Amino acid sequence: MSERVAAARRALAGAPAEQVVECLADSLAKDYAIAGVELLLVDYRLSALMPLHGGSPVTRPGDPAWRAFDHQNEVAAGQAGYLPVTARGERLGVLRVTPLPGPELRDELAEIATLLAHELQAANAGTDRYAIASRTRRLTLAAELQWELLPGRCRVGPAFSLAGQLEPAYAVMGDSFDWAQQDDRLFVTVLNGMGDGMTASLLTSLATQALRNARRAGLSLADQAGLADQAIFAQHRGGSHVAALMLELDLVTGEVLAVDAGSPRLLVLRDGEVLDQELEAQFPLGMFETSEYTTQAFRLHPGDRLFIVSDGVFAAPGRAGKYGEAALHRFVRRTGPLAPLQAVRSLLGDLRAFVSSDLEDDAVAVCLDWTAAG
């Protein structure tokens, strides 16, 4: 690590939570002669890059900032440079610097942008500044709960790449997702709580925390479902339930264990062909006092892409009928060249265009690529 990068790291580590970018700007001005620094944070809908210090959002797809965000590479445009601000695959936004230093310093700036991403994740626990700046409008209370519940929106590891998105982003209710990596296993869950508004959001929150509690206790996938089922039934006595798809992926072998509890749809994109991954449906979580859950298994091939979508996607109504499975298959097939975050963003953008407005029902899309460990 160069002394310049080390100085930027010290500036970030010592910055007050709400002044992280300003402290970094002082360091960059001193060591790189960079006069202008702006952080552009991606909004909840993945449709705008919001300047931290105010000003017009960046919404044009071909803008240099969006090219840096989408391709995760530095982009130069005139005197300005744009660098992705990303930590462990979680894309927070883009750092704009003016003027962009010469090529011999750009690897250092890319390293500093990554350090900034890690520091922003830590700082978010102590300030609302960055959460507020990344909103184009106010979230509903139900949506606030759902977004705070998420583990993140992207994750990249040596053997996988993963992303998820909720819609309508500013008013989502019961649809959600969760994931966690432990040793050589990746756990992914997609949930759809029954009802509307806060009722659905609270129900999904209960299910998510129950599943996390069971997973962190080392229980098997079937037992995780059983514990969450009991927790929801104890609270609602069968009056409310949660549809869930629970997956456990062995990152070495590609074996997937699954519990389908009235689940969302699971598709596999393999060698350009879209396949429905059929699973035996079991009762949604919390429907009955005693439900037995069993795991099923299937195996991924290296390079496979899993797409998980709730009924808010394929059942979304448009002028010519529902979005439907055929349209979903066609779109998933076209996502092959896209990174998972671009794939889910494009799918839900296509869905909004189909319904010509925000979605009436909330929807979730999760995309997982298994590349296998090299």
Side-chain angles (χ1 to χ4, degrees), residues 39 104 156 275 304 316 359:
L39 175 63
E104 70 280 3
V156 174
L275 311 170
D304 277 358
L359 304 186

Side-chain angles (χ1 to χ4, degrees), residues 15-20 117-128 130:
E18 73 279 4
Q19 292 292 311
V20 166
H118 286 277
E119 195 60 42
L120 287 171
Q121 288 183 324
N124 270 325
T127 180
D128 288 333
Y130 310 108

